[in-house]
Amino acid sequence: MSWFKKKKVTLEKVDMSNLPSHIAIIMDGNGRWAKKRGLPRTAGHKVGSETFRTIATYCNDIGIKYLTVYAFSTENWKRPQDEVDAIMNLLEEYILEAFEKVRKDNIKLTFWGDRTRLSPKLQQMMNEVEEKSRDMTGIHVNVCLNYGGRDEIARATKEIATAVKNGEISVDEITEQMISDSIYSKDVPDPELIIRPSGEIRTSNFLLWQSAYSEYYFTDVLWPDFKPIELDRAILAYQNRSRRFGGV
Ligand code: IPE
Ligand code: IPE
Ligand code: MG
């Protein structure tokens, strides 16, 4: 409960009985953070990975049930190879550490995205850490890695089309629920709150299906500078929204 106890700046105003159960974050702004300091972009990713550890711990401490973070998109392969390699190395480091930590901190860790393009070593580590943390009952953290919302929906479409082709279901039996059950988030409720730091106001292909009624929170703070107090601010903003879901 480290941060929760020490840091009560805005948390006092946060209604602890009305926390979002699922928060999703587009961890953006690492490159600009580094550039501002005359450092290589990879230095920004390194500090960004520390921010992720801090925020995941904080979410666990205050009782958030699910945290989904966008770590690498299906479009991020366009970046220079040394940057891609640096991000993959940081992910490896995090997973190695997670092997030790998941049971101690009661964290369930899963990965969303197309694994086939990742290195065999990384894929194996991902599978193993998922298996190791499968029965943990604390926060459930989903790391989106080679993830794209469109890719996810295209995959679900193929799966459902195959079921139709094999005569398992008819076209008329296709429902929204069936799509929800065929995507990475099948065991996880939709995020109530999606946060994007760094000043960009777009989804960049994140959780397209799941975000239908999510509340968005945008801030100019760059991800490496994102502190628990920024999360408090996002939660406060969320708690002041009127969620109508199409009703009145
Ligand atoms: C987010 O930070 C991390 C990844 C996309 C992997 P960026 O690297 O996109 O940082 P900016 O947006 O260039 O500042
Ligand atoms: C989205 O950020 C992907 C991640 C944070 C992992 P990008 O930096 O790739 O998005 P764009 O290019 O600004 O839309
Ligand atoms: Mg970016």
Side-chain angles (χ1 to χ4, degrees):
M1 298 295 270
S2 50
W3 268 104
F4 179 43
K5 276 191 183 141
K6 272 187 265 165
K7 198 96 188 154
K8 285 205 168 171
V9 188
T10 60
L11 199 57
E12 281 166 8
K13 289 182 263 168
V14 167
D15 178 359
M16 297 303 283
S17 67
N18 180 27
L19 289 174
S21 69
H22 183 179
I23 295 179
I25 306 180
I26 300 172
M27 303 190 291
D28 196 19
N30 295 347
R32 279 163 285 169
W33 183 92
K35 197 171 168 215
K36 264 178 40 183
R37 288 163 176 76
L39 298 169
R41 292 177 56 84
T42 49
H45 295 310
K46 171 107 186 106
V47 179
S49 71
E50 291 304 327
T51 302
F52 163 58
R53 287 170 174 84
T54 305
I55 294 298
T57 304
Y58 183 63
C59 284
N60 198 18
D61 286 350
I62 66 172
I64 302 297
K65 300 273 184 292
Y66 304 92
L67 172 69
T68 301
V69 293
Y70 205 5
F72 194 88
S73 76
T74 46
E75 287 74 46
N76 286 147
W77 298 104
K78 292 175 195 158
R79 297 184 177 207
Q81 192 60 44
D82 65 332
E83 182 171 345
V84 171
D85 291 345
I87 294 169
M88 294 300 156
N89 285 338
L90 286 168
L91 283 157
E92 241 182 72
E93 259 176 46
Y94 172 72
I95 297 171
L96 260 182
E97 220 182 275
F99 271 106
E100 303 302 318
K101 272 186 62 180
V102 283
R103 295 220 166 150
K104 186 164 72 63
D105 295 346
N106 199 18
I107 296 170
K108 178 170 165 157
L109 190 59
T110 51
F111 299 90
W112 293 357
D114 174 11
R115 298 176 192 205
T116 57
R117 205 171 158 182
L118 305 172
S119 77
K121 182 182 171 202
L122 192 57
Q123 288 184 48
Q124 193 188 339
M125 289 170 74
M126 287 158 71
N127 294 337
E128 282 175 17
V129 82
E130 277 182 345
E131 180 57 31
K132 184 165 182 188
S133 73
R134 203 183 48 188
D135 300 324
M136 298 299 108
T137 54
I139 193 167
H140 180 173
V141 177
N142 306 295
V143 177
C144 296
L145 190 43
N146 193 21
Y147 171 89
R150 288 183 170 182
D151 176 68
E152 179 178 42
I153 294 168
R155 276 159 198 282
T157 307
K158 282 184 203 160
E159 198 178 300
I160 294 167
T162 306
V164 172
K165 190 175 156 213
N166 294 342
E168 291 156 28
I169 53 163
S170 72
V171 168
D172 290 338
E173 280 171 325
I174 298 172
T175 58
E176 289 185 10
Q177 190 57 46
M178 208 173 275
I179 297 171
S180 294
D181 290 341
S182 307
I183 55 182
Y184 297 118
S185 54
K186 54 183 177 293
D187 305 321
V188 172
D190 291 341
E192 293 98 331
L193 173 61
I194 300 182
I195 300 171
R196 183 166 195 164
S198 92
E200 308 298 356
I201 319 284
R202 54 176 171 266
T203 70
S204 301
N205 206 5
F206 188 46
L207 305 181
L208 299 184
W209 180 266
Q210 299 86 341
S211 63
Y213 273 101
S214 301
E215 296 296 329
Y216 279 93
Y217 177 83
F218 297 102
T219 167
D220 287 340
V221 173
L222 302 171
W223 178 247
D225 289 330
F226 195 97
K227 302 279 184 287
I229 193 172
E230 305 296 339
L231 196 91
D232 294 350
R233 291 192 175 113
I235 295 173
L236 262 177
Y238 161 81
Q239 290 179 337
N240 285 308
R241 305 273 175 89
S242 162
R243 306 187 79 204
R244 291 185 290 280
F245 302 97
V248 286

